[in-house]
Amino acid sequence: MTDRDFVGLVPAAGRGTRLAPLRYPKELLPIVYEPADGGARLRPVAEYALESLARAGVGHAILVVAPWKLEVVSYLGDGRHLGVDVAYLFQEEARGLAHALDLAHGWTRSRDVVFVMPDTIFTPSDALSRLRAVYEETDADLALAVFPTQDAHRLGPVVLRGDRVHRVFDKPADPPVMNTWGAAIWGDAFAELLHEGLRQDTSGEPVLGNYFDLAVRGGLRVVAVEFPDGSFQDVGTPLGVRRSFEGPSLLAVRP
């Protein structure tokens, strides 16, 4: 690891409408488990995101939360028990993922942002570490972790040319590839592209994947690390929750 200043960014301010009528923060769903005393100890899925950051050598993280999700703050606390010092930003109005990330713009300037979602589970467990290594080696502006999936039409498939990203799609009806991005690292060039773009974006909830694609078309150095033997599960949907409890989809936090 180098002396570059990496900070985790975890957006947890959404209303969780895909799981309605659930009136409970999806980030605290007890999906992830770890072996314990011959059995298994259930843990909230958000802990997986924070421990993934810690394994990648990221010691500080910003969680973007909403005022109506104080249970997340109460449960995760300062994050030190998970290996990451956590600070919180409040998003007063739910405006989508892209705006939640941009809320941290003033606090992450001149730092490298490691973005991971608090309602997803991915393998291998060292995916963020490997993504960070490639990001640094290639001096990229944006690096995407890409995982295989059968649900590319629901997610964000990525077309590659070697290790360079050629296109990023969002929920295409006819996916060109059966994969999806699941985590990302970026520097100031992409952060500024997102920040300035959102200032002019009049859509209701701008799509983050569209800004990834815009970065490619705008000439930024966008690379990817594929994990062909890995897995990705979005547990923020009823289907994802069901799959997470179906045997091999239930993943251990620690290898």
Side-chain angles (χ1 to χ4, degrees), residues 223-244:
V223 303
V225 178
E226 285 191 279
F227 299 97
D229 296 323
S231 64
F232 179 86
Q233 189 64 259
D234 176 4
V235 300
T237 68
L239 178 61
V241 172
R242 189 191 75 191
R243 287 178 175 173
S244 296

Side-chain angles (χ1 to χ4, degrees), residues 164-219:
R164 295 293 293 267
V165 175
H166 177 62
R167 287 295 309 273
V168 180
F169 294 85
D170 180 69
K171 301 177 182 177
D174 186 17
V177 288
M178 298 304 291
N179 67 25
T180 184
W181 63 265
I185 303 178
W186 61 73
D188 277 345
F190 177 75
E192 290 299 326
L193 180 149
L194 178 63
H195 184 67
E196 293 302 318
L198 289 176
R199 291 176 60 183
Q200 305 173 45
D201 198 321
T202 59
S203 60
E205 289 193 2
V207 175
L208 180 62
N210 291 346
Y211 282 91
F212 289 162
D213 192 60
L214 182 62
V216 175
R217 292 183 281 115

Side-chain angles (χ1 to χ4, degrees), residues 79 219 250:
L250 190 60

Side-chain angles (χ1 to χ4, degrees), residues 20-250:
L22 180 71
R23 298 176 61 85
Y24 180 81
K26 61 182 179 179
E27 296 82 7
L28 299 184
L29 287 171
I31 300 295
V32 182
Y33 77 86
E34 64 180 10
D37 300 325
R41 182 167 73 91
L42 288 169
R43 306 181 68 188
V45 65
E47 289 192 3
Y48 177 83
L50 294 179
E51 290 195 340
S52 295
L53 291 170
R55 283 194 294 270
V58 181
H60 299 85
I62 297 171
L63 259 72
V64 181
V65 297
W68 56 86
K69 297 179 81 169
L70 294 181
E71 298 98 328
V72 175
V73 180
S74 297
Y75 185 89
L76 295 176
D78 64 11
R80 293 182 184 178
H81 60 294
L82 300 170
V84 181
D85 289 331
V86 174
Y88 295 90
L89 284 175
F90 282 91
Q91 186 180 37
E92 300 290 337
E93 179 185 358
R95 302 178 63 194
L97 176 59
H99 279 291
L101 296 172
D102 186 59
L103 189 66
H105 180 261
W107 283 266
T108 60
R109 189 179 290 112
S110 300
R111 306 176 77 180
D112 295 293
V113 172
V114 184
F115 158 55
V116 62
M117 292 175 286
D119 57 353
T120 63
I121 302 171
F122 55 79
T123 62
S125 61
D126 65 347
L128 283 186
S129 296
R130 291 161 62 180
L131 184 67
R132 172 176 172 170
V134 171
Y135 173 80
E136 294 188 73
E137 290 167 3
T138 60
D139 197 27
D141 297 306
L142 170 65
L144 303 178
V146 178
F147 304 91
T149 181
Q150 295 303 309
D151 297 322
H153 63 289
R154 302 176 187 268
L155 299 168
V158 180
V159 176
L160 303 175
R161 288 182 176 173
D163 67 345
R164 295 293 293 267
V165 175
H166 177 62
R167 287 295 309 273
V168 180
F169 294 85
D170 180 69
K171 301 177 182 177
D174 186 17
V177 288
M178 298 304 291
N179 67 25
T180 184
W181 63 265
I185 303 178
W186 61 73
D188 277 345
F190 177 75
E192 290 299 326
L193 180 149
L194 178 63
H195 184 67
E196 293 302 318
L198 289 176
R199 291 176 60 183
Q200 305 173 45
D201 198 321
T202 59
S203 60
E205 289 193 2
V207 175
L208 180 62
N210 291 346
Y211 282 91
F212 289 162
D213 192 60
L214 182 62
V216 175
R217 292 183 281 115
L220 271 60
R221 183 173 181 81
V222 184
V223 303
V225 178
E226 285 191 279
F227 299 97
D229 296 323
S231 64
F232 179 86
Q233 189 64 259
D234 176 4
V235 300
T237 68
L239 178 61
V241 172
R242 189 191 75 191
R243 287 178 175 173
S244 296
F245 282 109
E246 290 178 348
S249 294
L250 190 60

